[in-house]
Amino acid sequence: MTVMSKAKRALALVVASAALFSVAACGSGSSASAGNAADSAKSDAAASGKIEVVASINQWGSLARDLGGDHVEVTNIMTKTDVEAHDYEPTAQDVAKFGSAKVAVVNGADYDPWASKAAESTDATLVDAAETAGIKEGDNPHVWFSADVRDSTADAITAAYQKADPDNKDAYAELNKQWHDKEDELESKIEETSAKTKDLPYAATESVAWYLADDLGMKDATPTGYAQASANESEPSAADIKAFQDALKDGKSIKALVFNSQEANSTTDQITSAAKEGAVPVIELTEQMPQEYDDLLDWMSALVDDFASAVK
Ligand SMILES: [Zn+2]
């Protein structure tokens, strides 16, 4: 970066702090101390010159990092693959991280309502991944599995960075291009793989990878009673579970089982056992991105391989 752009950024920060100062002063009635508190809250990001970004889930956080490179500091809230993903209860610390962020990335579609709520009362530019593709509450919320949603979310994140840090507009455009090149490679791989997976009937313990299976041309053959109970987050009836088990043991109408190990329970144990009995391949995955992957696209690419290898 040039000396000039550093100076410009310093000026931009002074202006931003002044704006923050006046807002803080209105609320507190103690202008001097409020200004100081606001300054120190921003000082870490100011010192590094990086945009502070918070992401509710680590898969979107990895996208935010790839699109920001050295210009951003990303904090992920949910990173574990062994905790309840839906109905997550944020800590006070989690919520506080939204307070200092310039850009907040949430999943939306009622997957992480706590995160949208935490971002609401802050100055952060909000990127709601589901919303960028017109997916709403009540639709399948696992939108990071969708190529369309990844594409539109990436562009929304880049736009948020360019607004927050206009001096580096071109750098963000270049990182966006690099990311799309990699996403395009993944989409080509999905297209090639779909020659094998097209029309393949599969079932799922939870419709977690529905968008990816759809991109692969696969047919969701999860027995209706079970699928409806799962979508409503209610307990499937004994008859629903038995119908699912019978279909798996039969090994004819279902050719692969998607098992979300992050939402495992005694019912899913019964279902995976039936898949083993019927020699139906089990594709195991989680809600959040496992630590062994560098980013969302590497993880998706590995899952495409898993789906491909399930086809006999
Ligand atoms: Zn889920």
Side-chain angles (χ1 to χ4, degrees):
M1 119 195 16
T2 66
V3 174
M4 194 56 181
S5 72
K6 258 185 190 163
K8 268 193 202 159
R9 186 184 302 106
L11 179 65
L13 279 164
V14 168
V15 173
S17 308
L20 215 124
F21 176 89
S22 58
V23 169
C26 288
S28 72
S30 169
S31 58
S33 63
N36 289 341
D39 283 349
S40 67
K42 292 279 164 186
S43 64
D44 286 355
S48 64
K50 295 184 179 195
I51 305 177
E52 266 189 75
V53 184
V54 63
S56 60
I57 54 178
N58 67 347
Q59 51 269 58
W60 289 130
S62 82
L63 181 66
R65 186 204 56 207
D66 288 350
L67 292 164
D70 293 339
H71 304 285
V72 300
E73 191 70 53
V74 181
T75 302
N76 297 308
I77 306 289
M78 293 176 69
T79 58
K80 296 198 175 89
T81 54
D82 59 356
V83 295
E84 173 62 42
H86 300 260
D87 311 319
Y88 176 73
E89 297 281 352
T91 64
Q93 260 183 318
D94 294 340
V95 173
K97 281 170 186 157
F98 283 83
S100 56
K102 278 254 180 195
V103 177
V105 184
V106 306
N107 185 78
D110 208 28
Y111 186 76
D112 48 4
W114 54 271
S116 307
K117 195 164 167 261
E120 221 168 56
S121 54
T122 72
D123 294 334
T125 300
L126 178 67
V127 175
D128 179 316
E131 202 176 274
T132 64
I135 291 169
K136 297 183 184 71
E137 189 177 333
D139 294 334
N140 188 311
H142 308 93
V143 292
W144 56 92
F145 287 100
S146 159
D148 285 346
V149 181
R150 288 193 299 271
D151 279 318
S152 54
T153 302
D155 292 347
I157 291 173
T158 296
Y161 289 169
Q162 289 175 328
K163 184 182 154 213
D165 180 18
D167 284 348
N168 287 306
K169 206 166 184 254
D170 294 347
Y172 297 120
E174 178 56 29
L175 286 164
N176 180 277
K177 190 191 165 295
Q178 286 170 13
W179 182 86
H180 275 291
D181 287 347
K182 193 170 169 181
E183 170 69 29
D184 287 350
E185 272 175 46
L186 172 62
E187 289 176 29
S188 298
K189 180 175 169 169
I190 290 170
E191 179 76 36
E192 281 162 36
T193 307
S194 71
K196 282 172 77 182
T197 52
K198 195 176 179 334
D199 295 329
L200 191 83
Y202 78 100
T205 59
E206 191 213 344
S207 62
V208 62
W210 186 88
Y211 292 103
L212 178 58
D214 190 54
D215 285 346
L216 285 164
M218 295 167 68
K219 294 273 173 274
D220 188 351
T222 309
T224 316
Y226 179 94
Q228 275 169 358
S230 170
N232 299 331
E233 289 189 53
S234 59
E235 271 301 305
S237 70
D240 291 335
I241 297 169
K242 188 174 183 302
F244 200 167
Q245 286 178 300
D246 288 347
L248 287 164
K249 286 179 192 167
D250 168 80
K252 287 194 183 101
S253 57
I254 298 171
K255 297 296 182 189
L257 176 71
V258 175
F259 167 49
N260 176 6
S261 61
Q262 196 165 335
E263 306 281 337
N265 52 41
S266 58
T267 302
T268 60
D269 286 350
Q270 289 174 270
I271 290 161
T272 52
S273 300
K276 271 178 206 123
E277 261 185 71
V280 173
V282 176
I283 300 159
E284 187 176 327
L285 47 76
T286 53
E287 301 262 346
Q288 269 59 69
M289 184 174 76
Q291 297 295 334
E292 70 243 47
Y293 297 105
D294 272 348
D295 66 25
L296 175 60
L297 300 187
D298 288 347
W299 179 33
M300 290 298 114
S301 180
L303 286 175
V304 172
D305 291 336
D306 288 349
F307 275 97
S309 63
V311 185
K312 289 189 188 112

